[in-house]
Amino acid sequence: MKRMDRFTALADPTRRRIVEMLGQRAMAAGEITAQFGMSAPAISQHLKVLKEAGLVSVEVSGQRRIYRLDPEGLDAFEDWVKQVRSFWNGGLDRLERELAKPDDA
C-alpha cells in the first residue's frame, strides 16, 4: 500500500487539529471524537488517513484505540524543513555576496 503524503494528510484542518491535540498527549479515539462536532466514523476516517501518512500510531488497549503522534513521521517534516531552509539560506548568502560586490560602472 502506498503511503499517503504527509503534507496531503495535513491539508485538512480537522486532521491538523487532531495532530495538535495528540501533540499534548495520547488520546483514545472517543476522546478525540468528543472534541469535534462530527460522527465517530468521520473522525475514524481522519485518524486512518493520519495513520496511513505515518503521522500517528495506534495501540489497542482492550476495546479502546489509543492514538499518539509518530515521531518518525514528524522527523520527516523536520528533515524537509531543514532541506528547504539550507537551500534558501544558501541562496540568500549568494545574493548578499553579489550585492556586496563593487559596481564596475
Side-chain angles (χ1 to χ4, degrees), residues 7 71 74-91:
F7 290 100
L74 297 177
D75 289 346
F77 272 117
E78 187 175 356
D79 292 344
W80 181 84
V81 169
K82 285 178 184 176
Q83 179 184 3
V84 170
R85 186 171 283 151
S86 72
F87 170 78
W88 184 247
N89 288 341

PDB file of all heavy atoms in Angstrom, residues 7 71 74-91:
ATOM      1  N   PHE A   7       2.050  15.874   3.755  1.00  0.00           N
ATOM      2  CA  PHE A   7       1.507  17.213   3.523  1.00  0.00           C
ATOM      3  C   PHE A   7       0.044  17.140   3.091  1.00  0.00           C
ATOM      4  O   PHE A   7      -0.778  17.948   3.520  1.00  0.00           O
ATOM      5  CB  PHE A   7       2.336  17.962   2.485  1.00  0.00           C
ATOM      6  CG  PHE A   7       3.692  18.354   2.991  1.00  0.00           C
ATOM      7  CD1 PHE A   7       4.813  17.607   2.660  1.00  0.00           C
ATOM      8  CD2 PHE A   7       3.845  19.461   3.800  1.00  0.00           C
ATOM      9  CE1 PHE A   7       6.055  17.957   3.138  1.00  0.00           C
ATOM     10  CE2 PHE A   7       5.091  19.823   4.280  1.00  0.00           C
ATOM     11  CZ  PHE A   7       6.197  19.065   3.949  1.00  0.00           C
ATOM     12  N   PRO A  71       6.766   9.773  16.040  1.00  0.00           N
ATOM     13  CA  PRO A  71       7.944  10.645  15.912  1.00  0.00           C
ATOM     14  C   PRO A  71       8.628  10.540  14.558  1.00  0.00           C
ATOM     15  O   PRO A  71       9.149  11.530  14.057  1.00  0.00           O
ATOM     16  CB  PRO A  71       8.883  10.169  17.026  1.00  0.00           C
ATOM     17  CG  PRO A  71       8.072   9.325  17.931  1.00  0.00           C
ATOM     18  CD  PRO A  71       6.881   8.850  17.162  1.00  0.00           C
ATOM     19  N   LEU A  74       6.972  12.862  12.108  1.00  0.00           N
ATOM     20  CA  LEU A  74       7.320  14.253  12.394  1.00  0.00           C
ATOM     21  C   LEU A  74       8.764  14.548  12.003  1.00  0.00           C
ATOM     22  O   LEU A  74       9.075  15.641  11.525  1.00  0.00           O
ATOM     23  CB  LEU A  74       7.084  14.570  13.863  1.00  0.00           C
ATOM     24  CG  LEU A  74       5.625  14.445  14.319  1.00  0.00           C
ATOM     25  CD1 LEU A  74       5.519  14.700  15.812  1.00  0.00           C
ATOM     26  CD2 LEU A  74       4.724  15.383  13.553  1.00  0.00           C
ATOM     27  N   ASP A  75       9.652  13.560  12.178  1.00  0.00           N
ATOM     28  CA  ASP A  75      11.050  13.739  11.775  1.00  0.00           C
ATOM     29  C   ASP A  75      11.155  13.994  10.275  1.00  0.00           C
ATOM     30  O   ASP A  75      11.991  14.782   9.834  1.00  0.00           O
ATOM     31  CB  ASP A  75      11.887  12.516  12.149  1.00  0.00           C
ATOM     32  CG  ASP A  75      12.118  12.394  13.646  1.00  0.00           C
ATOM     33  OD1 ASP A  75      11.861  13.376  14.378  1.00  0.00           O
ATOM     34  OD2 ASP A  75      12.549  11.306  14.086  1.00  0.00           O
ATOM     35  N   ALA A  76      10.292  13.350   9.496  1.00  0.00           N
ATOM     36  CA  ALA A  76      10.311  13.560   8.047  1.00  0.00           C
ATOM     37  C   ALA A  76       9.982  15.021   7.713  1.00  0.00           C
ATOM     38  O   ALA A  76      10.579  15.604   6.803  1.00  0.00           O
ATOM     39  CB  ALA A  76       9.328  12.617   7.364  1.00  0.00           C
ATOM     40  N   PHE A  77       9.042  15.616   8.444  1.00  0.00           N
ATOM     41  CA  PHE A  77       8.735  17.039   8.245  1.00  0.00           C
ATOM     42  C   PHE A  77       9.946  17.898   8.582  1.00  0.00           C
ATOM     43  O   PHE A  77      10.309  18.805   7.848  1.00  0.00           O
ATOM     44  CB  PHE A  77       7.567  17.489   9.135  1.00  0.00           C
ATOM     45  CG  PHE A  77       6.232  17.288   8.512  1.00  0.00           C
ATOM     46  CD1 PHE A  77       5.328  16.423   9.089  1.00  0.00           C
ATOM     47  CD2 PHE A  77       5.866  17.963   7.370  1.00  0.00           C
ATOM     48  CE1 PHE A  77       4.090  16.228   8.527  1.00  0.00           C
ATOM     49  CE2 PHE A  77       4.621  17.775   6.801  1.00  0.00           C
ATOM     50  CZ  PHE A  77       3.729  16.908   7.377  1.00  0.00           C
ATOM     51  N   GLU A  78      10.541  17.603   9.708  1.00  0.00           N
ATOM     52  CA  GLU A  78      11.701  18.381  10.150  1.00  0.00           C
ATOM     53  C   GLU A  78      12.836  18.284   9.139  1.00  0.00           C
ATOM     54  O   GLU A  78      13.477  19.293   8.823  1.00  0.00           O
ATOM     55  CB  GLU A  78      12.165  17.891  11.519  1.00  0.00           C
ATOM     56  CG  GLU A  78      13.248  18.759  12.117  1.00  0.00           C
ATOM     57  CD  GLU A  78      13.605  18.331  13.533  1.00  0.00           C
ATOM     58  OE1 GLU A  78      12.975  17.424  14.080  1.00  0.00           O
ATOM     59  OE2 GLU A  78      14.534  18.936  14.074  1.00  0.00           O
ATOM     60  N   ASP A  79      13.076  17.097   8.601  1.00  0.00           N
ATOM     61  CA  ASP A  79      14.121  16.926   7.588  1.00  0.00           C
ATOM     62  C   ASP A  79      13.826  17.762   6.349  1.00  0.00           C
ATOM     63  O   ASP A  79      14.716  18.387   5.778  1.00  0.00           O
ATOM     64  CB  ASP A  79      14.261  15.451   7.194  1.00  0.00           C
ATOM     65  CG  ASP A  79      14.803  14.597   8.321  1.00  0.00           C
ATOM     66  OD1 ASP A  79      15.355  15.158   9.305  1.00  0.00           O
ATOM     67  OD2 ASP A  79      14.669  13.364   8.230  1.00  0.00           O
ATOM     68  N   TRP A  80      12.560  17.782   5.931  1.00  0.00           N
ATOM     69  CA  TRP A  80      12.170  18.568   4.759  1.00  0.00           C
ATOM     70  C   TRP A  80      12.394  20.060   5.008  1.00  0.00           C
ATOM     71  O   TRP A  80      12.932  20.768   4.156  1.00  0.00           O
ATOM     72  CB  TRP A  80      10.708  18.294   4.408  1.00  0.00           C
ATOM     73  CG  TRP A  80      10.242  19.039   3.194  1.00  0.00           C
ATOM     74  CD1 TRP A  80      10.392  18.672   1.899  1.00  0.00           C
ATOM     75  CD2 TRP A  80       9.562  20.299   3.179  1.00  0.00           C
ATOM     76  NE1 TRP A  80       9.842  19.625   1.076  1.00  0.00           N
ATOM     77  CE2 TRP A  80       9.332  20.634   1.837  1.00  0.00           C
ATOM     78  CE3 TRP A  80       9.133  21.174   4.183  1.00  0.00           C
ATOM     79  CZ2 TRP A  80       8.680  21.800   1.456  1.00  0.00           C
ATOM     80  CZ3 TRP A  80       8.485  22.339   3.797  1.00  0.00           C
ATOM     81  CH2 TRP A  80       8.267  22.643   2.451  1.00  0.00           C
ATOM     82  N   VAL A  81      12.002  20.536   6.174  1.00  0.00           N
ATOM     83  CA  VAL A  81      12.183  21.951   6.506  1.00  0.00           C
ATOM     84  C   VAL A  81      13.671  22.315   6.517  1.00  0.00           C
ATOM     85  O   VAL A  81      14.070  23.353   5.992  1.00  0.00           O
ATOM     86  CB  VAL A  81      11.513  22.298   7.857  1.00  0.00           C
ATOM     87  CG1 VAL A  81      11.916  23.679   8.346  1.00  0.00           C
ATOM     88  CG2 VAL A  81      10.001  22.196   7.736  1.00  0.00           C
ATOM     89  N   LYS A  82      14.498  21.451   7.080  1.00  0.00           N
ATOM     90  CA  LYS A  82      15.947  21.702   7.091  1.00  0.00           C
ATOM     91  C   LYS A  82      16.496  21.784   5.681  1.00  0.00           C
ATOM     92  O   LYS A  82      17.333  22.646   5.384  1.00  0.00           O
ATOM     93  CB  LYS A  82      16.672  20.603   7.867  1.00  0.00           C
ATOM     94  CG  LYS A  82      16.515  20.696   9.361  1.00  0.00           C
ATOM     95  CD  LYS A  82      17.223  19.541  10.052  1.00  0.00           C
ATOM     96  CE  LYS A  82      17.008  19.567  11.536  1.00  0.00           C
ATOM     97  NZ  LYS A  82      17.611  18.413  12.208  1.00  0.00           N
ATOM     98  N   GLN A  83      16.035  20.910   4.807  1.00  0.00           N
ATOM     99  CA  GLN A  83      16.500  20.909   3.427  1.00  0.00           C
ATOM    100  C   GLN A  83      16.107  22.207   2.728  1.00  0.00           C
ATOM    101  O   GLN A  83      16.930  22.843   2.069  1.00  0.00           O
ATOM    102  CB  GLN A  83      15.911  19.714   2.681  1.00  0.00           C
ATOM    103  CG  GLN A  83      16.315  19.639   1.228  1.00  0.00           C
ATOM    104  CD  GLN A  83      15.621  18.485   0.513  1.00  0.00           C
ATOM    105  OE1 GLN A  83      14.803  17.776   1.090  1.00  0.00           O
ATOM    106  NE2 GLN A  83      15.952  18.300  -0.738  1.00  0.00           N
ATOM    107  N   VAL A  84      14.866  22.608   2.878  1.00  0.00           N
ATOM    108  CA  VAL A  84      14.394  23.843   2.246  1.00  0.00           C
ATOM    109  C   VAL A  84      15.118  25.050   2.837  1.00  0.00           C
ATOM    110  O   VAL A  84      15.547  25.950   2.114  1.00  0.00           O
ATOM    111  CB  VAL A  84      12.861  23.986   2.393  1.00  0.00           C
ATOM    112  CG1 VAL A  84      12.391  25.357   1.960  1.00  0.00           C
ATOM    113  CG2 VAL A  84      12.165  22.891   1.597  1.00  0.00           C
ATOM    114  N   ARG A  85      15.287  25.048   4.148  1.00  0.00           N
ATOM    115  CA  ARG A  85      15.949  26.162   4.818  1.00  0.00           C
ATOM    116  C   ARG A  85      17.402  26.305   4.345  1.00  0.00           C
ATOM    117  O   ARG A  85      17.881  27.407   4.100  1.00  0.00           O
ATOM    118  CB  ARG A  85      15.886  25.988   6.325  1.00  0.00           C
ATOM    119  CG  ARG A  85      16.429  27.199   7.079  1.00  0.00           C
ATOM    120  CD  ARG A  85      16.162  27.098   8.547  1.00  0.00           C
ATOM    121  NE  ARG A  85      14.761  27.435   8.769  1.00  0.00           N
ATOM    122  CZ  ARG A  85      14.023  26.957   9.751  1.00  0.00           C
ATOM    123  NH1 ARG A  85      14.530  26.118  10.609  1.00  0.00           N
ATOM    124  NH2 ARG A  85      12.778  27.322   9.882  1.00  0.00           N
ATOM    125  N   SER A  86      18.106  25.181   4.188  1.00  0.00           N
ATOM    126  CA  SER A  86      19.507  25.261   3.756  1.00  0.00           C
ATOM    127  C   SER A  86      19.594  25.783   2.330  1.00  0.00           C
ATOM    128  O   SER A  86      20.490  26.561   2.002  1.00  0.00           O
ATOM    129  CB  SER A  86      20.203  23.905   3.893  1.00  0.00           C
ATOM    130  OG  SER A  86      19.743  23.004   2.927  1.00  0.00           O
ATOM    131  N   PHE A  87      18.661  25.375   1.478  1.00  0.00           N
ATOM    132  CA  PHE A  87      18.631  25.896   0.109  1.00  0.00           C
ATOM    133  C   PHE A  87      18.381  27.403   0.122  1.00  0.00           C
ATOM    134  O   PHE A  87      19.069  28.167  -0.535  1.00  0.00           O
ATOM    135  CB  PHE A  87      17.547  25.187  -0.709  1.00  0.00           C
ATOM    136  CG  PHE A  87      17.310  25.825  -2.044  1.00  0.00           C
ATOM    137  CD1 PHE A  87      18.178  25.616  -3.097  1.00  0.00           C
ATOM    138  CD2 PHE A  87      16.211  26.654  -2.248  1.00  0.00           C
ATOM    139  CE1 PHE A  87      17.968  26.215  -4.329  1.00  0.00           C
ATOM    140  CE2 PHE A  87      15.994  27.257  -3.474  1.00  0.00           C
ATOM    141  CZ  PHE A  87      16.876  27.033  -4.514  1.00  0.00           C
ATOM    142  N   TRP A  88      17.396  27.820   0.900  1.00  0.00           N
ATOM    143  CA  TRP A  88      17.022  29.236   0.967  1.00  0.00           C
ATOM    144  C   TRP A  88      18.160  30.065   1.549  1.00  0.00           C
ATOM    145  O   TRP A  88      18.515  31.109   1.021  1.00  0.00           O
ATOM    146  CB  TRP A  88      15.756  29.387   1.793  1.00  0.00           C
ATOM    147  CG  TRP A  88      15.236  30.792   1.852  1.00  0.00           C
ATOM    148  CD1 TRP A  88      15.197  31.579   2.945  1.00  0.00           C
ATOM    149  CD2 TRP A  88      14.701  31.568   0.778  1.00  0.00           C
ATOM    150  NE1 TRP A  88      14.667  32.801   2.628  1.00  0.00           N
ATOM    151  CE2 TRP A  88      14.357  32.822   1.300  1.00  0.00           C
ATOM    152  CE3 TRP A  88      14.494  31.323  -0.562  1.00  0.00           C
ATOM    153  CZ2 TRP A  88      13.803  33.836   0.522  1.00  0.00           C
ATOM    154  CZ3 TRP A  88      13.935  32.331  -1.333  1.00  0.00           C
ATOM    155  CH2 TRP A  88      13.607  33.569  -0.792  1.00  0.00           C
ATOM    156  N   ASN A  89      18.746  29.602   2.645  1.00  0.00           N
ATOM    157  CA  ASN A  89      19.843  30.336   3.271  1.00  0.00           C
ATOM    158  C   ASN A  89      21.039  30.439   2.329  1.00  0.00           C
ATOM    159  O   ASN A  89      21.680  31.479   2.253  1.00  0.00           O
ATOM    160  CB  ASN A  89      20.257  29.688   4.587  1.00  0.00           C
ATOM    161  CG  ASN A  89      19.227  29.911   5.680  1.00  0.00           C
ATOM    162  OD1 ASN A  89      18.397  30.803   5.597  1.00  0.00           O
ATOM    163  ND2 ASN A  89      19.276  29.089   6.704  1.00  0.00           N
ATOM    164  N   GLY A  90      21.331  29.357   1.599  1.00  0.00           N
ATOM    165  CA  GLY A  90      22.428  29.396   0.628  1.00  0.00           C
ATOM    166  C   GLY A  90      22.160  30.409  -0.461  1.00  0.00           C
ATOM    167  O   GLY A  90      23.061  31.160  -0.877  1.00  0.00           O
ATOM    168  N   GLY A  91      20.943  30.479  -0.939  1.00  0.00           N
ATOM    169  CA  GLY A  91      20.568  31.462  -1.959  1.00  0.00           C
ATOM    170  C   GLY A  91      20.695  32.885  -1.444  1.00  0.00           C
ATOM    171  O   GLY A  91      21.180  33.769  -2.151  1.00  0.00           O
TER     172      GLY A  91
END
